[in-house]
């Protein structure tokens, strides 16, 4: 019970922050909306050209929204952690009864809240501007989204562990690491267009299976269970590895006495 | 008197083979104000970090309330608190919001009343709705002290708590801490570079140098032992052994 109270307390701390800070609210809404405006109109333009791929708008806008789900779930963890680093508040947290596990759970919970907010705005805008309704993907959307969120969490936890270990100079990872996976996630194109060596890498990236699955659903071929199973299996492994990596790093950071130096 | 903190053979050797704390042992009693004194690099901060479970000792034991910080972390940390002039609170939150968040992290009952009481004690009721970023460093220090007292701790770790306070507020803060100690039997581990403050505040002091305890006892007995007219003179004798 006390654990839950602490997790909620930490969540409230961030809700206070977003309620009061316009730049932070912009971070949640500005980039996704800008992406949607820019790439949405590019998509509309290209879809009107002769020889355009069937379902082009659905492919592209669906991919854009789903990619943002992965990116935001990762950011929801890494940037929330950075908020504590920037405000020199980490020590206050770690000398309180809040455990590292409760801290991570709070970050996951926060990432879901931020994700819901951002997605709601993007889905509504896509519908208003381009008459694109992502819910036409039907129930298939649920497992696709869950897989992307879990991959985002795994990447976010690893990023957080690295910032904890290497200090604030590693904070650029919070924005860069997810993008590193984008080319091999085959977000906007099929895995088939990748050279063979990147296809091998893509096989081990859960998001590539999700986006392949999404394209098949849009093409009316139904949800490919094999792709889904691959994504889910990889996600379970990566999530476990990311949690182990975080705890190992936390132990190293405490052994090296670095916890008090994060944020300096 | 009850032993609240027991430290035995506590050692910290960092990966670069630098020994920050070298087999120190001491005890702290209920209601005692114990000062940790020493030049920069003496090992005070590392000791404090190990007591709070922020840094893992290389060897030795820390027991607080008879419990081990590794295995009984939650139970210990719910009854202690910490404040330092070198840490802060989330800048965008108001004073009241920050204290509310920490009240709930520490599961403080009737937290609204507790926050109001502490703001009144530290004479900062007027800034309760001010975002922390707009506060002066002295005001932030007082808010951090409020945070440190929210859970009515049995042990308080204070790292240079008056470093950024003007003499008037620093004096009020010292009186307040002594008063709370008197009323509630609070034990305080206190570090400061202000030797007059240490003389005034501490029942006993521990002098550290290069990771070791050089002297320990009531300020008067340490001054007698080191033939210094005050703690500042003792400090200089320890910091400049060749002179």
């Amino acid at each position: 019970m006390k654990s839950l109270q602490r997790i909620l307390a930490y969540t409230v701390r961030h809700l206070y922050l977003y309620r009061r800070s316009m730049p932070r609210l912009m971070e949640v809404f500005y980039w996704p909306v800008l992406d949607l405006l820019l790439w949405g109109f590019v998509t509309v333009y290209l879809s009107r050209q002769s020889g355009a791929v069937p379902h082009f708008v659905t492919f592209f806008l669906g991919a854009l929204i789903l990619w943002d789900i992965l990116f935001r779930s990762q950011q929801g963890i890494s940037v929330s952690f950075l908020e504590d680093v920037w405000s020199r508040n980490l020590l206050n947290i770690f000398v309180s009864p809040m455990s590292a596990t409760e801290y991570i759970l709070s970050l996951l919970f926060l990432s879901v809240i931020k994700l819901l907010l951002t997605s709601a705005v993007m889905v509504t805008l896509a519908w208003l501007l381009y008459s694109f309704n992502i819910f036409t993907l039907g129930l298939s959307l649920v497992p696709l989204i869950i897989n992307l969120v879990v991959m985002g969490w795994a990447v976010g936890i690893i990023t957080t562990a690295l910032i904890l270990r290497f200090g604030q100079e590693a904070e650029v990872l919070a924005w860069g690491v997810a993008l590193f996976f984008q080319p091999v996630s085959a977000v906007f194109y099929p895995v088939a267009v990748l050279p063979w060596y990147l296809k091998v890498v893509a096989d081990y990236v859960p998001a590539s299976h999700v986006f392949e699955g999404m394209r098949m659903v849009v093409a009316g071929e139904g949800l490919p269970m094999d792709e889904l199973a691959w994504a889910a299996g990889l996600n379970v492994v990566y999530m476990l590895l990311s949690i182990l990596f975080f705890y190992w790093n936390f132990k190293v950071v405490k052994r090296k006495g670095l916890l008090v130096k994060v944020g300096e | 008197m009850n032993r609240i903190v027991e430290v035995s053979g506590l050692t910290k050797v960092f990966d670069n083979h630098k020994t920050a704390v070298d087999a120190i042992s001491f005890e702290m009693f209920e209601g005692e104000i114990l000062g940790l004194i020493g030049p920069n690099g003496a090992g005070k901060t590392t000791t404090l970090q190990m007591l709070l479970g922020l840094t893992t000792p290389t060897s030795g034991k820390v027991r607080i309330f008879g419990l081990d910080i590794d295995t009984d972390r939650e139970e210990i940390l719910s009854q202690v608190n910490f404040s330092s002039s070198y840490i802060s609170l989330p800048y965008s939150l108001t004073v009241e919001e920050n204290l509310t968040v920490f009240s709930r992290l520490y599961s403080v009952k009737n937290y609204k009343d507790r926050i109001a009481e502490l703001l009144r004690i530290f004479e900062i009721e007027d800034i309760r709705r001010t975002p922390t970023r707009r506060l002066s460093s002295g005001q932030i220090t007082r808010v951090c002290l409020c945070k440190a007292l929210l859970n009515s701790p049995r042990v308080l770790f204070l790292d240079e708590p008056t470093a950024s306070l003007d003499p008037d507020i620093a004096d009020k803060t010292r009186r307040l801490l002594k008063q709370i100690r008197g009323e509630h039997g609070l034990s305080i581990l206190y570090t400061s570079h202000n030797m007059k403050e240490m003389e005034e505040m501490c029942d006993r002091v521990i002098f550290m140098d290069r990771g070791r305890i050089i002297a320990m006892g009531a300020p008067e007995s340490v001054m007698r032992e080191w033939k210094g007219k005050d703690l500042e003179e003792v400090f200089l004798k320890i910091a400049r052994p060749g002179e």
Side-chain angles (χ1 to χ4, degrees), chain A residues 19-20 88 92 255-256, chain B residues 12 15 86 88 92 97:
Chain A
R19 191 178 68 177
R20 197 170 298 286
R88 294 191 293 146
N92 284 324
R255 197 192 72 228
K256 288 177 176 283
Chain B
K12 183 65 195 175
D15 289 353
Y86 303 110
S88 192
S92 297
E97 287 168 346

Side-chain angles (χ1 to χ4, degrees), chain A residues 2-67:
Chain A
K2 281 187 176 172
S3 250
L4 186 64
Q5 194 180 15
R6 288 194 284 266
I7 290 169
L8 290 177
Y10 186 78
T11 309
V12 167
R13 168 249 195 275
H14 280 271
L15 295 182
Y16 280 145
L17 189 70
Y18 280 85
R19 191 178 68 177
R20 197 170 298 286
S21 171
M22 188 55 85
R24 285 180 178 88
L25 267 181
M26 279 179 69
E27 176 236 313
V28 174
F29 297 117
Y30 179 78
W31 296 114
V33 169
L34 211 63
D35 266 352
L36 195 71
L37 289 176
L38 180 66
W39 295 109
F41 288 120
V42 169
T43 308
V44 170
Y45 167 70
L46 290 175
S47 69
R48 287 175 187 163
Q49 303 306 301
S50 58
V53 178
H55 311 295
F56 187 82
V57 174
T58 314
F59 274 146
F60 209 90
L61 287 181
L64 189 70
I65 292 173
L66 289 183
W67 172 257

Side-chain angles (χ1 to χ4, degrees), chain B residues 18-178:
Chain B
K18 185 182 177 277
T19 303
V21 176
D22 194 356
I24 62 169
S25 300
F26 64 89
E27 290 164 334
M28 189 173 158
F29 299 96
E30 192 173 358
E32 180 182 40
I33 300 182
L34 180 63
L36 216 46
I37 305 176
N40 293 329
K44 310 182 295 291
T45 305
T46 308
T47 301
L48 216 55
Q49 288 164 16
M50 288 192 282
L51 292 180
L52 285 161
L54 296 169
T55 295
T56 314
T58 306
S59 61
K61 277 253 171 254
V62 173
R63 294 188 77 79
I64 300 177
F65 318 126
L67 304 168
D68 190 310
I69 187 77
D70 271 342
T71 51
D72 307 295
R73 183 184 173 277
E74 187 187 343
E75 197 173 342
I76 292 174
L77 292 182
S78 61
Q79 299 176 71
V80 307
N81 215 315
F82 169 70
S83 183
S84 163
S85 50
Y86 303 110
I87 58 172
S88 192
L89 291 165
Y91 298 126
S92 297
L93 272 62
T94 64
V95 168
E96 191 170 39
E97 287 168 346
N98 266 314
L99 294 176
T100 300
V101 169
F102 280 98
S103 298
R104 302 184 77 170
L105 281 180
Y106 283 93
S107 309
V108 177
K109 287 179 186 144
N110 303 322
Y111 67 88
K112 286 185 180 168
D113 293 343
R114 181 71 180 148
I115 290 170
E117 182 190 4
L118 287 166
L119 291 175
R120 183 180 45 76
I121 288 174
F122 280 93
E123 299 176 16
I124 48 174
E125 290 157 294
D126 54 323
I127 57 165
R128 69 186 301 157
R129 293 202 170 85
T130 309
T132 311
R133 78 156 66 81
R134 290 204 206 131
L135 304 181
S136 68
S137 55
Q139 286 171 324
I140 290 178
T141 301
R142 279 184 281 168
V143 176
C144 285
L145 283 168
C146 286
K147 176 240 123 186
L149 290 165
L150 272 173
N151 59 329
S152 308
R154 289 173 67 194
V155 181
L156 194 53
F157 296 96
L158 297 176
D159 191 12
E160 301 193 42
T162 58
S164 54
L165 300 179
D166 68 45
D168 172 44
I169 301 295
D171 180 59
K172 280 181 180 165
T173 303
R174 285 191 292 267
R175 283 166 195 256
L176 207 64
L177 288 170
K178 280 183 142 179

